[in-house]
């Protein structure tokens, strides 16, 4: 087991912020992970942090105390036909997009619309990742994890994981308890049905291709995500983010319709929610991007070294040299402004790890002057349909 004291963590995150780990261990198997857990228990008061590729975290400028374990490595370990599906077991440290690419090459459907999402296979159930109408829990069968409290390997099914919208027990009462070393998915030979997201529909209309072809679907998703700087690329400074920073809230239908109409025009809310939230549901999920636009934020808005991406209003971008506290303050400013102007509570998708100062609005205004973005409102926000 290779130990790295005072190891920088910022380069291991897509936001590129954060201080060092007291002690870093890179684990590529369950044995190394178990040894790191024992080390944390015996020599660091049980303080343990589990990281994948750092794509969904904001690590504090002070860094992380105790032992930080980065789960890395692995690949597709087993493929088994069963009951009209194909069970695919992959290592937790495998890059998620590598698994998606493998599945498409193998002609297996179910996760092709999750192309380009950064992070590891083991991190995917933690977030219950989702995009363009697909979510991990739709194909999830089970996972194998090291229970760091008990020091033993366990198998957990979907019911145990308690998946929800961008949520699971691993983000709540199981935080940093389980190191996920394997995930099993049930994939299919054919896509579920037609695409229903306008970004993808527009891509096929403009570039051609067969929307039911898995490879074409993957390339369409990657192209759309790259256009928004939502695929990690060291040559694209706008990808220095944690992806979509805020989760879409659920609101009473009448209130949601009024909010959307204010952004898109009269009648847009009913058209959106007839498609987006199953007909006449009384409580509907409102796209967080529309919430920000309704509250007066826009693409490219900036506060010092942190701002909303000019290509994707939901992404908080480190424009270079930002500190983690700056990211936290901009997120808090946006959250409080939305609460004050709209009465809507926004929740952040990334995890905040380590110690952060409480938000001080006056100090923030003096330290991080606001610069309007001036970027054009994206087409999806202007249009009156989904």
């Amino acid at each position: 087991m290779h130990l790295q004291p005072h190891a920088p963590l910022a380069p291991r995150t897509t936001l590129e912020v954060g201080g060092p780990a007291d002690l870093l261990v890179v684990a590529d198997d369950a044995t190394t992970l178990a040894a790191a857990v024992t080390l944390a228990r015996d020599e660091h008061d049980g303080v343990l942090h589990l990281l994948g590729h750092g794509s969904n975290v904001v690590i504090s400028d002070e860094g992380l105390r105790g032992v930080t374990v980065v789960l890395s490595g692995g690949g597709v370990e087993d493929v088994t036909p069963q009951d009209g599906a194909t069970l695919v077991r992959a290592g937790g440290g495998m890059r998620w997009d590598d698994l998606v690419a493998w599945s498409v090459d193998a002609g297996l459907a179910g996760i092709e619309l999750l192309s380009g999402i950064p992070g590891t296979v083991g991190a995917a159930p933690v977030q219950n990742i989702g995009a363009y109408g697909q979510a991990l829990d739709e194909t999830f069968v089970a996972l194998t994890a090291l229970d760091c409290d008990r020091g033993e390997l366990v198998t957990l099914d979907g019911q145990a994981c308690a998946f929800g919208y961008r949520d699971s027990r691993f983000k709540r009462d199981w935080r940093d308890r389980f190191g996920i070393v394997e995930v099993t998915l049930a994939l299919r030979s054919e896509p579920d049905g037609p695409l229903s997201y306008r970004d993808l529909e527009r891509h096929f209309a403009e570039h051609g291709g067969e929307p039911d072809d898995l490879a074409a679907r993957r390339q369409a998703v990657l192209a759309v995500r790259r256009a928004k700087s939502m695929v990690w690329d060291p040559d694209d400074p706008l990808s220095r983010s944690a992806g979509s920073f805020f989760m879409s809230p659920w609101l009473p239908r009448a209130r949601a319709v009024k909010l959307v109409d204010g952004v898109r025009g009269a009648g847009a809310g009913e058209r959106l929610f007839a498609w987006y939230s199953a007909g006449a549901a009384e409580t509907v999920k409102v796209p967080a991007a529309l919430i920000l636009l309704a509250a007066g934020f826009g693409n490219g808005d900036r506060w010092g070294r942190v701002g909303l991406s000019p290509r994707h209003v939901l992404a908080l971008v480190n424009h270079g040299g930002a500190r983690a506290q700056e990211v936290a303050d901009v997120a808090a400013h946006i959250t409080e402004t939305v609460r004050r102007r709209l009465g809507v509570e926004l929740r952040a998708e990334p995890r905040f790890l380590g110690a952060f100062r409480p938000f001080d609005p006056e100090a923030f205004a003096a330290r991080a002057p606001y610069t309007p973005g001036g970027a054009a409102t994206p087409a999806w926000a202007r249009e009156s349909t989904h």
Side-chain angles (χ1 to χ4, degrees), residues 249-288:
W250 292 79
L251 297 177
R253 187 185 190 89
R255 185 179 175 196
V257 166
K258 182 178 179 181
L259 185 151
V260 174
D261 284 355
V263 176
R264 290 184 168 178
E270 285 296 348
R271 288 191 292 271
L272 173 66
F273 296 119
W275 163 81
Y276 194 58
S277 297
E282 289 304 312
T283 302
V284 294
K285 185 174 67 174
V286 185

Side-chain angles (χ1 to χ4, degrees), residues 206-288:
E206 293 177 356
H207 300 281
E210 176 50 60
D212 290 334
D213 178 75
L214 293 179
R217 284 188 169 203
R218 170 170 166 77
Q219 292 309 312
V221 170
L222 290 174
V224 169
R225 290 179 65 90
R226 286 194 185 99
K228 299 177 180 180
S229 293
M230 298 297 276
V231 174
W232 169 245
D233 180 352
D235 295 325
D236 179 2
L238 293 179
S239 72
R240 194 186 294 120
S241 76
S244 296
F245 205 91
F246 298 103
M247 298 169 60
S248 297
W250 292 79
L251 297 177
R253 187 185 190 89
R255 185 179 175 196
V257 166
K258 182 178 179 181
L259 185 151
V260 174
D261 284 355
V263 176
R264 290 184 168 178
E270 285 296 348
R271 288 191 292 271
L272 173 66
F273 296 119
W275 163 81
Y276 194 58
S277 297
E282 289 304 312
T283 302
V284 294
K285 185 174 67 174
V286 185

Side-chain angles (χ1 to χ4, degrees), residues 17-44:
V17 298
D22 281 356
L23 191 64
L24 179 70
V25 178
V26 178
D28 57 5
D29 57 32
T31 300
T32 307
L33 175 59
V37 170
T38 299
L39 178 67
R41 182 191 64 218
D42 293 347
E43 300 183 24
H44 295 270

Side-chain angles (χ1 to χ4, degrees), residues 119-205:
T120 62
V121 170
V126 176
Q127 181 71 4
N128 188 23
I129 58 173
Y132 299 111
Q134 284 185 344
L136 179 85
D137 61 345
E138 296 168 357
T139 58
F140 180 86
V141 175
L143 61 81
T144 301
L146 178 71
D147 185 335
C148 298
D149 287 353
R150 300 181 179 181
E152 60 186 27
L153 289 173
V154 297
T155 298
L156 302 170
D157 61 13
Q159 183 175 2
C161 296
F163 292 121
Y165 166 63
R166 305 295 186 269
D167 191 34
S168 72
R169 287 191 70 182
F170 302 106
K171 293 181 68 174
R172 292 177 271 113
D173 54 315
W174 282 355
R175 178 171 293 189
D176 284 327
R177 175 175 171 180
F178 293 94
I180 300 172
V181 297
E182 290 180 346
V183 175
T184 300
L185 305 178
L187 304 181
R188 307 174 298 277
S189 59
E190 298 289 340
D192 269 344
L195 300 173
S196 58
Y197 275 71
R198 185 169 291 281
D199 282 348
L200 299 181
E201 293 173 346
R202 182 185 295 112
H203 176 88
F204 281 106

Side-chain angles (χ1 to χ4, degrees), residues 103-123:
S103 72
V104 169
D105 288 344
L108 296 174
I111 57 175
E112 70 279 0
L113 300 184
L114 305 182
S115 293
I117 295 178
T120 62
V121 170

